Amino acid sequence: MGQALDEGDPEKVLPLYSDDAVLWGTLSPTVRSDRAALRDYFVGAFKVLPSLKVTFGDQLIRVYGNAAVNTGYYTFSYVKDGETKTLPARYSFTYVKNGQRWLIVDHHSSAMPSTPR
């Protein structure tokens, strides 16, 4: 996922998702539940977050036969007005094994809340 996002090309990211995948993205007020909507999300994300890169932090991966769940956090970095900015976020991925490949069937991502004071 990280390498595909780092390339900034939705056509590199979309093959990681199953045809019936659902995405509730960090930058989206609506759930995306078809291929066109997923493509639209990533096209928009790459525009809003130029030079997007992602760094994965701690992950908790659990495998249940042909399904797996990955919960963790990542930090997006991007360049805006010549300055590198970061956006920490948390995620959950659910995968289903399709032949030899694990495909994302559900992806939820949201900005990391600030620590209460």
Side-chain angles (χ1 to χ4, degrees):
M1 172 61 101
Q3 183 179 354
L5 279 176
D6 289 353
E7 292 188 33
D9 180 358
E11 299 309 320
K12 302 284 181 161
V13 178
L14 290 172
L16 303 175
Y17 290 82
S18 70
D19 289 339
D20 62 347
V22 173
L23 167 65
W24 192 268
T26 311
L27 305 174
S28 181
T30 59
V31 70
R32 311 296 177 114
S33 60
D34 61 46
R35 214 59 176 172
L38 263 70
R39 179 178 286 106
D40 181 65
Y41 176 79
F42 287 109
V43 166
F46 292 135
K47 284 182 184 173
V48 172
L49 305 175
S51 303
L52 179 64
K53 303 286 182 215
V54 64
T55 304
F56 282 82
D58 293 338
Q59 302 179 60
L60 178 59
I61 300 169
R62 287 102 53 222
V63 178
Y64 306 99
N66 284 336
V69 180
N70 179 359
T71 304
Y73 71 91
Y74 40 34
T75 302
F76 299 108
S77 61
Y78 59 99
V79 177
K80 186 162 187 164
D81 300 325
E83 184 179 337
T84 300
K85 309 239 181 209
T86 60
L87 173 62
R90 55 197 174 178
Y91 67 82
S92 296
F93 289 104
T94 303
Y95 306 91
V96 171
K97 194 167 190 181
N98 183 347
Q100 297 300 310
R101 298 187 60 218
W102 288 95
L103 296 176
I104 301 164
V105 293
D106 193 273
H107 176 188
H108 175 264
S109 178
S110 58
M112 189 71 73
S114 50
T115 306
R117 295 179 188 213

mmCIF file of all heavy atoms in Angstrom, residues 67-109:
data_model
loop_
_atom_site.group_PDB
_atom_site.id
_atom_site.type_symbol
_atom_site.label_atom_id
_atom_site.label_comp_id
_atom_site.label_asym_id
_atom_site.label_seq_id
_atom_site.Cartn_x
_atom_site.Cartn_y
_atom_site.Cartn_z
ATOM 1 N N ALA A 67 -9.384 -14.605 5.639
ATOM 2 C CA ALA A 67 -9.642 -13.197 5.946
ATOM 3 C C ALA A 67 -8.597 -12.721 6.952
ATOM 4 O O ALA A 67 -8.056 -13.516 7.728
ATOM 5 C CB ALA A 67 -11.044 -13.016 6.518
ATOM 6 N N ALA A 68 -8.307 -11.424 6.906
ATOM 7 C CA ALA A 68 -7.353 -10.842 7.852
ATOM 8 C C ALA A 68 -7.766 -9.404 8.145
ATOM 9 O O ALA A 68 -8.401 -8.741 7.319
ATOM 10 C CB ALA A 68 -5.940 -10.873 7.276
ATOM 11 N N VAL A 69 -7.405 -8.952 9.337
ATOM 12 C CA VAL A 69 -7.685 -7.584 9.758
ATOM 13 C C VAL A 69 -6.368 -6.959 10.196
ATOM 14 O O VAL A 69 -5.589 -7.572 10.931
ATOM 15 C CB VAL A 69 -8.706 -7.558 10.919
ATOM 16 C CG1 VAL A 69 -8.982 -6.129 11.355
ATOM 17 C CG2 VAL A 69 -9.991 -8.275 10.527
ATOM 18 N N ASN A 70 -6.135 -5.745 9.729
ATOM 19 C CA ASN A 70 -4.928 -4.999 10.077
ATOM 20 C C ASN A 70 -5.368 -3.662 10.666
ATOM 21 O O ASN A 70 -6.045 -2.883 10.001
ATOM 22 C CB ASN A 70 -4.067 -4.797 8.825
ATOM 23 C CG ASN A 70 -2.806 -4.001 9.110
ATOM 24 O OD1 ASN A 70 -2.543 -3.572 10.228
ATOM 25 N ND2 ASN A 70 -2.021 -3.785 8.076
ATOM 26 N N THR A 71 -5.008 -3.424 11.914
ATOM 27 C CA THR A 71 -5.360 -2.189 12.603
ATOM 28 C C THR A 71 -4.072 -1.495 13.025
ATOM 29 O O THR A 71 -3.167 -2.144 13.544
ATOM 30 C CB THR A 71 -6.202 -2.500 13.859
ATOM 31 O OG1 THR A 71 -7.341 -3.264 13.470
ATOM 32 C CG2 THR A 71 -6.635 -1.234 14.557
ATOM 33 N N GLY A 72 -3.985 -0.190 12.782
ATOM 34 C CA GLY A 72 -2.780 0.514 13.172
ATOM 35 C C GLY A 72 -2.869 1.993 12.881
ATOM 36 O O GLY A 72 -3.956 2.567 12.794
ATOM 37 N N TYR A 73 -1.699 2.592 12.726
ATOM 38 C CA TYR A 73 -1.668 4.005 12.388
ATOM 39 C C TYR A 73 -0.630 4.255 11.317
ATOM 40 O O TYR A 73 0.290 3.456 11.115
ATOM 41 C CB TYR A 73 -1.431 4.882 13.626
ATOM 42 C CG TYR A 73 -0.026 4.806 14.188
ATOM 43 C CD1 TYR A 73 0.963 5.695 13.761
ATOM 44 C CD2 TYR A 73 0.315 3.867 15.147
ATOM 45 C CE1 TYR A 73 2.250 5.632 14.269
ATOM 46 C CE2 TYR A 73 1.591 3.799 15.660
ATOM 47 C CZ TYR A 73 2.563 4.689 15.230
ATOM 48 O OH TYR A 73 3.832 4.611 15.735
ATOM 49 N N TYR A 74 -0.834 5.330 10.593
ATOM 50 C CA TYR A 74 0.133 5.771 9.607
ATOM 51 C C TYR A 74 0.180 7.285 9.609
ATOM 52 O O TYR A 74 -0.700 7.945 10.169
ATOM 53 C CB TYR A 74 -0.134 5.233 8.210
ATOM 54 C CG TYR A 74 -1.551 5.148 7.679
ATOM 55 C CD1 TYR A 74 -2.557 6.058 7.990
ATOM 56 C CD2 TYR A 74 -1.878 4.121 6.793
ATOM 57 C CE1 TYR A 74 -3.838 5.950 7.453
ATOM 58 C CE2 TYR A 74 -3.160 4.013 6.259
ATOM 59 C CZ TYR A 74 -4.128 4.932 6.592
ATOM 60 O OH TYR A 74 -5.382 4.834 6.056
ATOM 61 N N THR A 75 1.240 7.817 9.023
ATOM 62 C CA THR A 75 1.387 9.261 8.918
ATOM 63 C C THR A 75 1.546 9.608 7.450
ATOM 64 O O THR A 75 2.420 9.063 6.775
ATOM 65 C CB THR A 75 2.606 9.766 9.713
ATOM 66 O OG1 THR A 75 2.436 9.378 11.087
ATOM 67 C CG2 THR A 75 2.735 11.281 9.619
ATOM 68 N N PHE A 76 0.661 10.456 6.966
ATOM 69 C CA PHE A 76 0.767 10.964 5.609
ATOM 70 C C PHE A 76 1.643 12.204 5.642
ATOM 71 O O PHE A 76 1.530 13.022 6.558
ATOM 72 C CB PHE A 76 -0.613 11.341 5.056
ATOM 73 C CG PHE A 76 -1.574 10.189 4.985
ATOM 74 C CD1 PHE A 76 -2.638 10.096 5.862
ATOM 75 C CD2 PHE A 76 -1.407 9.194 4.039
ATOM 76 C CE1 PHE A 76 -3.527 9.047 5.808
ATOM 77 C CE2 PHE A 76 -2.292 8.127 3.971
ATOM 78 C CZ PHE A 76 -3.352 8.054 4.852
ATOM 79 N N SER A 77 2.509 12.339 4.657
ATOM 80 C CA SER A 77 3.246 13.588 4.492
ATOM 81 C C SER A 77 3.004 14.063 3.065
ATOM 82 O O SER A 77 2.803 13.264 2.154
ATOM 83 C CB SER A 77 4.735 13.411 4.790
ATOM 84 O OG SER A 77 5.321 12.484 3.915
ATOM 85 N N TYR A 78 2.997 15.376 2.904
ATOM 86 C CA TYR A 78 2.733 15.982 1.599
ATOM 87 C C TYR A 78 3.375 17.364 1.587
ATOM 88 O O TYR A 78 3.793 17.884 2.627
ATOM 89 C CB TYR A 78 1.232 16.053 1.326
ATOM 90 C CG TYR A 78 0.447 16.844 2.341
ATOM 91 C CD1 TYR A 78 0.080 18.173 2.103
ATOM 92 C CD2 TYR A 78 0.082 16.270 3.561
ATOM 93 C CE1 TYR A 78 -0.634 18.896 3.051
ATOM 94 C CE2 TYR A 78 -0.626 16.994 4.504
ATOM 95 C CZ TYR A 78 -0.984 18.298 4.254
ATOM 96 O OH TYR A 78 -1.681 19.016 5.186
ATOM 97 N N VAL A 79 3.468 17.944 0.409
ATOM 98 C CA VAL A 79 4.095 19.251 0.259
ATOM 99 C C VAL A 79 3.026 20.255 -0.142
ATOM 100 O O VAL A 79 2.300 20.046 -1.115
ATOM 101 C CB VAL A 79 5.228 19.214 -0.788
ATOM 102 C CG1 VAL A 79 5.826 20.596 -0.974
ATOM 103 C CG2 VAL A 79 6.296 18.207 -0.379
ATOM 104 N N LYS A 80 2.920 21.321 0.639
ATOM 105 C CA LYS A 80 1.963 22.384 0.332
ATOM 106 C C LYS A 80 2.680 23.719 0.479
ATOM 107 O O LYS A 80 3.288 23.981 1.519
ATOM 108 C CB LYS A 80 0.755 22.307 1.262
ATOM 109 C CG LYS A 80 -0.321 23.294 0.901
ATOM 110 C CD LYS A 80 -1.636 22.921 1.523
ATOM 111 C CE LYS A 80 -2.698 23.859 0.983
ATOM 112 N NZ LYS A 80 -4.023 23.384 1.199
ATOM 113 N N ASP A 81 2.603 24.530 -0.565
ATOM 114 C CA ASP A 81 3.278 25.832 -0.584
ATOM 115 C C ASP A 81 4.766 25.694 -0.264
ATOM 116 O O ASP A 81 5.333 26.500 0.465
ATOM 117 C CB ASP A 81 2.607 26.805 0.397
ATOM 118 C CG ASP A 81 1.137 27.041 0.070
ATOM 119 O OD1 ASP A 81 0.803 27.059 -1.136
ATOM 120 O OD2 ASP A 81 0.341 27.195 1.006
ATOM 121 N N GLY A 82 5.378 24.625 -0.783
ATOM 122 C CA GLY A 82 6.805 24.407 -0.605
ATOM 123 C C GLY A 82 7.201 23.877 0.759
ATOM 124 O O GLY A 82 8.378 23.701 1.049
ATOM 125 N N GLU A 83 6.228 23.604 1.612
ATOM 126 C CA GLU A 83 6.509 23.140 2.970
ATOM 127 C C GLU A 83 5.946 21.739 3.172
ATOM 128 O O GLU A 83 4.814 21.458 2.774
ATOM 129 C CB GLU A 83 5.865 24.106 3.965
ATOM 130 C CG GLU A 83 6.169 23.797 5.410
ATOM 131 C CD GLU A 83 5.527 24.806 6.356
ATOM 132 O OE1 GLU A 83 5.225 25.941 5.937
ATOM 133 O OE2 GLU A 83 5.308 24.436 7.524
ATOM 134 N N THR A 84 6.744 20.855 3.793
ATOM 135 C CA THR A 84 6.278 19.509 4.090
ATOM 136 C C THR A 84 5.371 19.543 5.311
ATOM 137 O O THR A 84 5.722 20.100 6.341
ATOM 138 C CB THR A 84 7.462 18.557 4.335
ATOM 139 O OG1 THR A 84 8.271 18.514 3.159
ATOM 140 C CG2 THR A 84 6.988 17.153 4.668
ATOM 141 N N LYS A 85 4.197 18.952 5.159
ATOM 142 C CA LYS A 85 3.213 18.882 6.246
ATOM 143 C C LYS A 85 2.936 17.407 6.533
ATOM 144 O O LYS A 85 3.177 16.548 5.686
ATOM 145 C CB LYS A 85 1.912 19.552 5.817
ATOM 146 C CG LYS A 85 2.105 20.937 5.252
ATOM 147 C CD LYS A 85 1.338 21.920 6.042
ATOM 148 C CE LYS A 85 1.528 23.300 5.422
ATOM 149 N NZ LYS A 85 1.422 24.328 6.411
ATOM 150 N N THR A 86 2.419 17.128 7.712
ATOM 151 C CA THR A 86 2.077 15.747 8.074
ATOM 152 C C THR A 86 0.636 15.671 8.562
ATOM 153 O O THR A 86 0.088 16.642 9.074
ATOM 154 C CB THR A 86 3.011 15.188 9.164
ATOM 155 O OG1 THR A 86 2.901 15.988 10.331
ATOM 156 C CG2 THR A 86 4.453 15.124 8.681
ATOM 157 N N LEU A 87 0.057 14.497 8.371
ATOM 158 C CA LEU A 87 -1.298 14.218 8.811
ATOM 159 C C LEU A 87 -1.298 12.817 9.429
ATOM 160 O O LEU A 87 -1.314 11.820 8.708
ATOM 161 C CB LEU A 87 -2.275 14.286 7.626
ATOM 162 C CG LEU A 87 -3.714 13.851 7.873
ATOM 163 C CD1 LEU A 87 -4.384 14.735 8.918
ATOM 164 C CD2 LEU A 87 -4.503 13.867 6.578
ATOM 165 N N PRO A 88 -1.240 12.705 10.762
ATOM 166 C CA PRO A 88 -1.302 11.387 11.386
ATOM 167 C C PRO A 88 -2.729 10.848 11.336
ATOM 168 O O PRO A 88 -3.694 11.591 11.517
ATOM 169 C CB PRO A 88 -0.842 11.634 12.825
ATOM 170 C CG PRO A 88 -0.892 13.108 13.042
ATOM 171 C CD PRO A 88 -1.018 13.781 11.705
ATOM 172 N N ALA A 89 -2.859 9.553 11.079
ATOM 173 C CA ALA A 89 -4.180 8.933 10.955
ATOM 174 C C ALA A 89 -4.121 7.502 11.492
ATOM 175 O O ALA A 89 -3.057 6.906 11.621
ATOM 176 C CB ALA A 89 -4.633 8.939 9.500
ATOM 177 N N ARG A 90 -5.302 6.982 11.780
ATOM 178 C CA ARG A 90 -5.427 5.590 12.217
ATOM 179 C C ARG A 90 -6.254 4.850 11.172
ATOM 180 O O ARG A 90 -7.009 5.467 10.425
ATOM 181 C CB ARG A 90 -6.090 5.525 13.585
ATOM 182 C CG ARG A 90 -7.420 6.243 13.616
ATOM 183 C CD ARG A 90 -7.869 6.522 15.017
ATOM 184 N NE ARG A 90 -9.082 7.329 14.982
ATOM 185 C CZ ARG A 90 -9.728 7.706 16.039
ATOM 186 N NH1 ARG A 90 -9.293 7.344 17.227
ATOM 187 N NH2 ARG A 90 -10.815 8.432 15.932
ATOM 188 N N TYR A 91 -6.091 3.533 11.122
ATOM 189 C CA TYR A 91 -6.776 2.776 10.064
ATOM 190 C C TYR A 91 -7.163 1.393 10.529
ATOM 191 O O TYR A 91 -6.627 0.867 11.503
ATOM 192 C CB TYR A 91 -5.879 2.659 8.824
ATOM 193 C CG TYR A 91 -4.663 1.802 9.065
ATOM 194 C CD1 TYR A 91 -4.744 0.422 8.993
ATOM 195 C CD2 TYR A 91 -3.444 2.361 9.397
ATOM 196 C CE1 TYR A 91 -3.638 -0.378 9.231
ATOM 197 C CE2 TYR A 91 -2.333 1.580 9.637
ATOM 198 C CZ TYR A 91 -2.436 0.213 9.559
ATOM 199 O OH TYR A 91 -1.344 -0.575 9.823
ATOM 200 N N SER A 92 -8.091 0.820 9.766
ATOM 201 C CA SER A 92 -8.414 -0.604 9.816
ATOM 202 C C SER A 92 -8.563 -1.074 8.376
ATOM 203 O O SER A 92 -9.277 -0.442 7.590
ATOM 204 C CB SER A 92 -9.729 -0.864 10.554
ATOM 205 O OG SER A 92 -9.644 -0.484 11.896
ATOM 206 N N PHE A 93 -7.864 -2.139 8.033
ATOM 207 C CA PHE A 93 -8.006 -2.806 6.742
ATOM 208 C C PHE A 93 -8.557 -4.194 7.008
ATOM 209 O O PHE A 93 -8.093 -4.877 7.921
ATOM 210 C CB PHE A 93 -6.659 -3.003 6.045
ATOM 211 C CG PHE A 93 -6.003 -1.770 5.521
ATOM 212 C CD1 PHE A 93 -4.929 -1.202 6.191
ATOM 213 C CD2 PHE A 93 -6.424 -1.194 4.337
ATOM 214 C CE1 PHE A 93 -4.300 -0.078 5.705
ATOM 215 C CE2 PHE A 93 -5.801 -0.062 3.836
ATOM 216 C CZ PHE A 93 -4.730 0.498 4.522
ATOM 217 N N THR A 94 -9.515 -4.625 6.203
ATOM 218 C CA THR A 94 -9.939 -6.021 6.199
ATOM 219 C C THR A 94 -9.594 -6.574 4.820
ATOM 220 O O THR A 94 -9.894 -5.945 3.806
ATOM 221 C CB THR A 94 -11.456 -6.154 6.446
ATOM 222 O OG1 THR A 94 -11.766 -5.518 7.694
ATOM 223 C CG2 THR A 94 -11.871 -7.615 6.500
ATOM 224 N N TYR A 95 -8.920 -7.726 4.820
ATOM 225 C CA TYR A 95 -8.477 -8.362 3.579
ATOM 226 C C TYR A 95 -9.161 -9.710 3.407
ATOM 227 O O TYR A 95 -9.485 -10.374 4.392
ATOM 228 C CB TYR A 95 -6.969 -8.646 3.617
ATOM 229 C CG TYR A 95 -6.088 -7.478 3.924
ATOM 230 C CD1 TYR A 95 -5.720 -7.172 5.227
ATOM 231 C CD2 TYR A 95 -5.586 -6.680 2.895
ATOM 232 C CE1 TYR A 95 -4.886 -6.106 5.508
ATOM 233 C CE2 TYR A 95 -4.743 -5.611 3.168
ATOM 234 C CZ TYR A 95 -4.401 -5.334 4.481
ATOM 235 O OH TYR A 95 -3.577 -4.276 4.759
ATOM 236 N N VAL A 96 -9.321 -10.111 2.171
ATOM 237 C CA VAL A 96 -9.762 -11.459 1.839
ATOM 238 C C VAL A 96 -8.768 -12.025 0.834
ATOM 239 O O VAL A 96 -8.342 -11.327 -0.089
ATOM 240 C CB VAL A 96 -11.200 -11.465 1.261
ATOM 241 C CG1 VAL A 96 -11.563 -12.828 0.720
ATOM 242 C CG2 VAL A 96 -12.195 -11.034 2.317
ATOM 243 N N LYS A 97 -8.387 -13.282 1.049
ATOM 244 C CA LYS A 97 -7.423 -13.916 0.152
ATOM 245 C C LYS A 97 -8.127 -14.359 -1.120
ATOM 246 O O LYS A 97 -9.147 -15.050 -1.073
ATOM 247 C CB LYS A 97 -6.750 -15.100 0.830
ATOM 248 C CG LYS A 97 -5.526 -15.572 0.102
ATOM 249 C CD LYS A 97 -4.725 -16.509 0.963
ATOM 250 C CE LYS A 97 -3.393 -16.778 0.300
ATOM 251 N NZ LYS A 97 -2.598 -17.714 1.094
ATOM 252 N N ASN A 98 -7.600 -13.937 -2.246
ATOM 253 C CA ASN A 98 -8.136 -14.267 -3.566
ATOM 254 C C ASN A 98 -7.004 -14.948 -4.340
ATOM 255 O O ASN A 98 -6.125 -14.267 -4.851
ATOM 256 C CB ASN A 98 -8.606 -12.991 -4.262
ATOM 257 C CG ASN A 98 -9.235 -13.252 -5.606
ATOM 258 O OD1 ASN A 98 -9.119 -14.344 -6.147
ATOM 259 N ND2 ASN A 98 -9.893 -12.248 -6.146
ATOM 260 N N GLY A 99 -7.012 -16.273 -4.372
ATOM 261 C CA GLY A 99 -5.879 -16.998 -4.963
ATOM 262 C C GLY A 99 -4.665 -16.795 -4.071
ATOM 263 O O GLY A 99 -4.700 -17.085 -2.887
ATOM 264 N N GLN A 100 -3.601 -16.234 -4.631
ATOM 265 C CA GLN A 100 -2.382 -15.962 -3.871
ATOM 266 C C GLN A 100 -2.320 -14.533 -3.340
ATOM 267 O O GLN A 100 -1.378 -14.165 -2.659
ATOM 268 C CB GLN A 100 -1.151 -16.259 -4.741
ATOM 269 C CG GLN A 100 -1.023 -17.701 -5.148
ATOM 270 C CD GLN A 100 -0.921 -18.613 -3.940
ATOM 271 O OE1 GLN A 100 -0.136 -18.397 -3.036
ATOM 272 N NE2 GLN A 100 -1.766 -19.653 -3.908
ATOM 273 N N ARG A 101 -3.310 -13.701 -3.691
ATOM 274 C CA ARG A 101 -3.275 -12.277 -3.327
ATOM 275 C C ARG A 101 -4.252 -11.958 -2.210
ATOM 276 O O ARG A 101 -5.360 -12.468 -2.178
ATOM 277 C CB ARG A 101 -3.634 -11.422 -4.549
ATOM 278 C CG ARG A 101 -2.654 -11.582 -5.690
ATOM 279 C CD ARG A 101 -2.924 -10.626 -6.812
ATOM 280 N NE ARG A 101 -2.816 -9.245 -6.323
ATOM 281 C CZ ARG A 101 -3.620 -8.257 -6.716
ATOM 282 N NH1 ARG A 101 -4.577 -8.474 -7.581
ATOM 283 N NH2 ARG A 101 -3.461 -7.050 -6.240
ATOM 284 N N TRP A 102 -3.837 -11.081 -1.331
ATOM 285 C CA TRP A 102 -4.709 -10.523 -0.311
ATOM 286 C C TRP A 102 -5.235 -9.208 -0.843
ATOM 287 O O TRP A 102 -4.462 -8.313 -1.196
ATOM 288 C CB TRP A 102 -3.940 -10.281 0.990
ATOM 289 C CG TRP A 102 -3.597 -11.544 1.711
ATOM 290 C CD1 TRP A 102 -2.428 -12.244 1.622
ATOM 291 C CD2 TRP A 102 -4.414 -12.252 2.627
ATOM 292 N NE1 TRP A 102 -2.477 -13.339 2.430
ATOM 293 C CE2 TRP A 102 -3.685 -13.371 3.063
ATOM 294 C CE3 TRP A 102 -5.699 -12.046 3.125
ATOM 295 C CZ2 TRP A 102 -4.205 -14.286 3.981
ATOM 296 C CZ3 TRP A 102 -6.205 -12.952 4.042
ATOM 297 C CH2 TRP A 102 -5.473 -14.063 4.465
ATOM 298 N N LEU A 103 -6.555 -9.065 -0.926
ATOM 299 C CA LEU A 103 -7.176 -7.840 -1.431
ATOM 300 C C LEU A 103 -7.945 -7.143 -0.311
ATOM 301 O O LEU A 103 -8.561 -7.789 0.534
ATOM 302 C CB LEU A 103 -8.134 -8.158 -2.581
ATOM 303 C CG LEU A 103 -7.503 -8.752 -3.833
ATOM 304 C CD1 LEU A 103 -8.580 -9.112 -4.842
ATOM 305 C CD2 LEU A 103 -6.497 -7.785 -4.439
ATOM 306 N N ILE A 104 -7.906 -5.823 -0.331
ATOM 307 C CA ILE A 104 -8.631 -5.032 0.654
ATOM 308 C C ILE A 104 -10.115 -5.068 0.305
ATOM 309 O O ILE A 104 -10.499 -4.744 -0.814
ATOM 310 C CB ILE A 104 -8.125 -3.581 0.661
ATOM 311 C CG1 ILE A 104 -6.632 -3.532 0.988
ATOM 312 C CG2 ILE A 104 -8.936 -2.729 1.639
ATOM 313 C CD1 ILE A 104 -5.968 -2.204 0.654
ATOM 314 N N VAL A 105 -10.952 -5.449 1.270
ATOM 315 C CA VAL A 105 -12.399 -5.421 1.068
ATOM 316 C C VAL A 105 -13.054 -4.320 1.897
ATOM 317 O O VAL A 105 -14.157 -3.893 1.590
ATOM 318 C CB VAL A 105 -13.077 -6.780 1.358
ATOM 319 C CG1 VAL A 105 -12.648 -7.818 0.342
ATOM 320 C CG2 VAL A 105 -12.829 -7.239 2.773
ATOM 321 N N ASP A 106 -12.356 -3.864 2.930
ATOM 322 C CA ASP A 106 -12.879 -2.780 3.747
ATOM 323 C C ASP A 106 -11.699 -1.984 4.293
ATOM 324 O O ASP A 106 -10.735 -2.572 4.802
ATOM 325 C CB ASP A 106 -13.716 -3.340 4.903
ATOM 326 C CG ASP A 106 -14.534 -2.260 5.578
ATOM 327 O OD1 ASP A 106 -14.019 -1.605 6.502
ATOM 328 O OD2 ASP A 106 -15.692 -2.064 5.163
ATOM 329 N N HIS A 107 -11.783 -0.664 4.154
ATOM 330 C CA HIS A 107 -10.701 0.221 4.595
ATOM 331 C C HIS A 107 -11.331 1.434 5.259
ATOM 332 O O HIS A 107 -12.099 2.150 4.643
ATOM 333 C CB HIS A 107 -9.869 0.625 3.373
ATOM 334 C CG HIS A 107 -8.780 1.601 3.657
ATOM 335 N ND1 HIS A 107 -8.059 2.168 2.633
ATOM 336 C CD2 HIS A 107 -8.284 2.127 4.794
ATOM 337 C CE1 HIS A 107 -7.162 3.003 3.138
ATOM 338 N NE2 HIS A 107 -7.281 2.993 4.455
ATOM 339 N N HIS A 108 -11.029 1.611 6.530
ATOM 340 C CA HIS A 108 -11.470 2.805 7.256
ATOM 341 C C HIS A 108 -10.222 3.547 7.714
ATOM 342 O O HIS A 108 -9.294 2.957 8.242
ATOM 343 C CB HIS A 108 -12.312 2.430 8.473
ATOM 344 C CG HIS A 108 -12.680 3.628 9.287
ATOM 345 N ND1 HIS A 108 -11.969 4.011 10.386
ATOM 346 C CD2 HIS A 108 -13.661 4.544 9.131
ATOM 347 C CE1 HIS A 108 -12.497 5.120 10.886
ATOM 348 N NE2 HIS A 108 -13.527 5.455 10.144
ATOM 349 N N SER A 109 -10.218 4.856 7.485
ATOM 350 C CA SER A 109 -9.095 5.686 7.885
ATOM 351 C C SER A 109 -9.637 7.005 8.411
ATOM 352 O O SER A 109 -10.553 7.575 7.819
ATOM 353 C CB SER A 109 -8.183 5.928 6.682
ATOM 354 O OG SER A 109 -7.099 6.769 7.025
#
